[in-house]
């Protein structure tokens, strides 16, 4: 076993080792910061604004569906009125397009 | 009749009873005590039970462990085979996300290594050689595989005592750390609620293990197998395309290797090597190392608390000792007692995994300084 003089002095040995541990972990910290900065997959600050636009698209696409579904709307209105409510109390009847990802919606879609 | 007596006599003279001594008896009692702690008190039963049973087996005279599977298990411990394999599983189970999201917690992992060096200096002062002191000091890192790895390289004669001290104190983390944490912090500091961590991208989680392995291995080549396996396991976990390898590493493989490593550790506890004054010194130094490591992490946490205007809860510093994830759980429990709405677990995982890396780096540095490879 080799060894050297600094390894024989406990306090010097301790000081050198602690310094090396801190330095190595500091470099790892720097690697993390740099990786975060150069991350090509990182979301750009203006990206949320972009994502709003596509989100609006299904609504506009869904609108004609509602317009062409007048018999369905009439049937739902009739059913609600039959339960004792007035048609004035119905605020809106909308297709469940916003929850397209949900399993129930998927099952319902499968019926048509 | 004569033939019967000869046969019985032959069985008797070949039995372990003939060579059984008081030392074996004491060590078997130690093994039984450890089994009791594992099964009745549930102190790390997955580790402690094979260690305890290995201890009992090692103290059966004429057990023939010089060859066969027990010899292979002992060789796996002595030749640094099991620790890197354990690290593979640890890597596959570890999420570096909290550390990457908050890199400053790396310093808590570094600060907690003070326990390693205090014990090292203490061991040298009381007469251990520098390599022995380095192997003893690493107990303060609360990292069983690294302790065994370093002891096998620097002080194989102390391997049993060091391994037992390391694993015993790891299992006692929930008892040792809280008093130190409470002693060094105020109620106000313990109640600090930390900000939610940012989301870490897939790219960062892949890049970190690769880049850190290359850098640390180039700097400290003697720990390449240990660190490399840790990061390989983590890559299996994070790549998203090696699910089967990740699953095997963090379940089947680590369980198998744990059985071998812990049993092999127990096998090092034979009376001849274990019942010495040095063992008592190592047990005491290990406790000092553990307490100092916890204190170092908490005190550095207090420093960060003062420097960042009270955003860091100093309790996460104690997780800088690398007992993953027990030390982080202790931070969570102590923090929740001070403020029931406090969830420190993810924040404490940052210094906790930094502690694993820090202990490996400390081991590599000592190997480099002592000229061992």
């Amino acid at each position: 076993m080799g060894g050297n003089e600094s390894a024989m002095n406990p306090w010097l040995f301790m000081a050198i080792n602690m310094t090396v541990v801190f330095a190595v972990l500091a470099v790892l910290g720097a690697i993390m910061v740099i990786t975060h900065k150069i991350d090509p997959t990182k979301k750009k600050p203006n990206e949320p604004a972009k994502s709003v636009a596509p989100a609006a698209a299904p609504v506009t696409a869904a609108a004609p569906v509602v317009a062409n579904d007048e018999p369905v709307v009439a049937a739902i209105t009739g059913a609600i009125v039959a339960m004792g409510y007035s048609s004035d109390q119905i605020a809106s009847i909308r297709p469940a397009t916003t929850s397209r990802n949900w399993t129930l919606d998927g099952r319902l879609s499968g019926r048509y | 009749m004569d033939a019967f007596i000869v046969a019985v006599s032959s069985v008797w003279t070949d039995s372990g009873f003939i060579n059984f001594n008081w030392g074996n008896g004491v060590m078997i009692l130690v093994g039984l005590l450890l089994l009791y702690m594992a099964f009745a008190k549930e102190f790390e039963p997955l580790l402690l039970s094979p260690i305890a049973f290995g201890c009992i087996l090692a103290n059966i005279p004429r057990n023939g462990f010089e060859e066969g599977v027990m010899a292979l298990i002992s060789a796996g411990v002595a030749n640094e085979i099991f620790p890197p394999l354990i690290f593979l599983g640890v890597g596959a189970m570890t999420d570096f996300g909290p550390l990457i999201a908050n890199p400053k917690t790396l310093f808590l992992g570094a600060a907690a290594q003070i326990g390693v060096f205090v014990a090292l200096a203490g061991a040298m002062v009381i007469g251990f050689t520098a390599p022995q002191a380095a192997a003893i000091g690493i107990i303060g890192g609360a990292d069983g595989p690294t302790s065994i790895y370093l002891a096998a390289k620097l002080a194989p004669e102390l391997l049993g005592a060091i391994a037992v001290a390391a694993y015993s104190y790891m299992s006692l983390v929930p008892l040792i750390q809280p008093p130190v944490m409470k002693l060094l912090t105020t109620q106000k500091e313990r109640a600090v609620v930390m900000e939610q961590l940012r989301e870490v991208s897939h790219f960062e989680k892949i890049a970190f293990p690769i880049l850190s392995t290359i850098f640390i291995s180039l700097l400290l080549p003697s720990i390449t197998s240990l660190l490399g396996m840790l990061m390989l396991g983590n890559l299996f976990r994070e790549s998203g395309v090696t699910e089967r390898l990740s699953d095997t590493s963090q379940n089947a493989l680590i369980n198998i290797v744990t059985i071998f490593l812990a049993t092999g550790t127990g096998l090092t506890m034979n009376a001849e090597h274990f019942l010495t004054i040095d063992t008592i010194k190592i047990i005491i130094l290990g406790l000092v190392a553990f307490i100092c490591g916890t204190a170092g992490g908490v005190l550095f946490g207090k420093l960060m608390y003062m420097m960042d205007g009270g955003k860091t809860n100093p309790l996460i510093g104690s997780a800088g000792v690398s007992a993953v994830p027990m030390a982080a759980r202790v931070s969570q429990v102590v923090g929740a007692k001070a403020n029931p709405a406090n969830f420190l677990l993810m924040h404490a995982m940052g210094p906790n995994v930094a502690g694993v890396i820090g202990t490996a780096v400390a081991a590599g540095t000592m190997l480099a300084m002592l000229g061992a490879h």
Side-chain angles (χ1 to χ4, degrees), chain B residues 70-155:
Chain B
M70 294 305 190
L72 279 177
I73 289 175
S74 296
V77 174
N79 294 298
E80 308 142 27
I81 293 168
F82 297 144
L85 291 175
I86 291 280
F87 261 44
L88 181 75
V90 171
M93 287 193 281
T94 302
D95 179 9
F96 283 123
L99 179 64
I100 299 170
N102 191 6
K104 69 182 179 186
T105 57
L106 276 164
F107 292 114
L108 294 171
Q113 304 311 313
I114 189 77
V116 171
F117 302 113
V118 167
L120 179 147
M124 287 175 79
V125 167
I126 64 172
F128 285 101
T129 63
Q132 287 176 332
I136 293 166
I138 209 75
I139 297 170
D143 189 333
T146 306
S147 300
I148 290 172
Y149 187 81
L150 199 65
K153 279 180 180 282
L154 293 179

Side-chain angles (χ1 to χ4, degrees), chain A residues 3 7 13 17-18 25 36 39, chain B residues 117 120 124 201 204 365 370:
Chain A
F13 191 99
N17 274 275
M18 275 308 279
L25 293 186
H36 181 54
D39 182 358
Chain B
F117 302 113
L120 179 147
M124 287 175 79
S201 72
E204 287 174 278
T365 311
L370 294 166

Side-chain angles (χ1 to χ4, degrees), chain A residues 1-4 6-8 10-11 13-14 16-18 20 22 24-29 31-32 35-36 39-41, chain B residues 99-100 103 106-107 110-111 117 120-121 124 130-131 198 201 203-204 207-208 212 215-216 219 357 361 365-366 369-370:
Chain A
M1 197 157 294
N4 53 45
S6 60
M8 297 307 122
W11 311 112
F13 191 99
M14 184 175 156
I16 293 170
N17 274 275
M18 275 308 279
V20 172
F22 266 93
V24 170
L25 293 186
V27 172
L28 288 190
I31 288 173
M32 288 175 191
T35 309
H36 181 54
D39 182 358
T41 64
Chain B
L99 179 64
I100 299 170
L106 276 164
F107 292 114
F117 302 113
L120 179 147
M124 287 175 79
R198 74 169 172 86
S201 72
F203 173 81
E204 287 174 278
F208 173 69
S212 57
F215 168 66
I216 297 176
L219 186 69
I357 300 170
V361 170
T365 311
M366 290 191 285
M369 286 188 70
L370 294 166

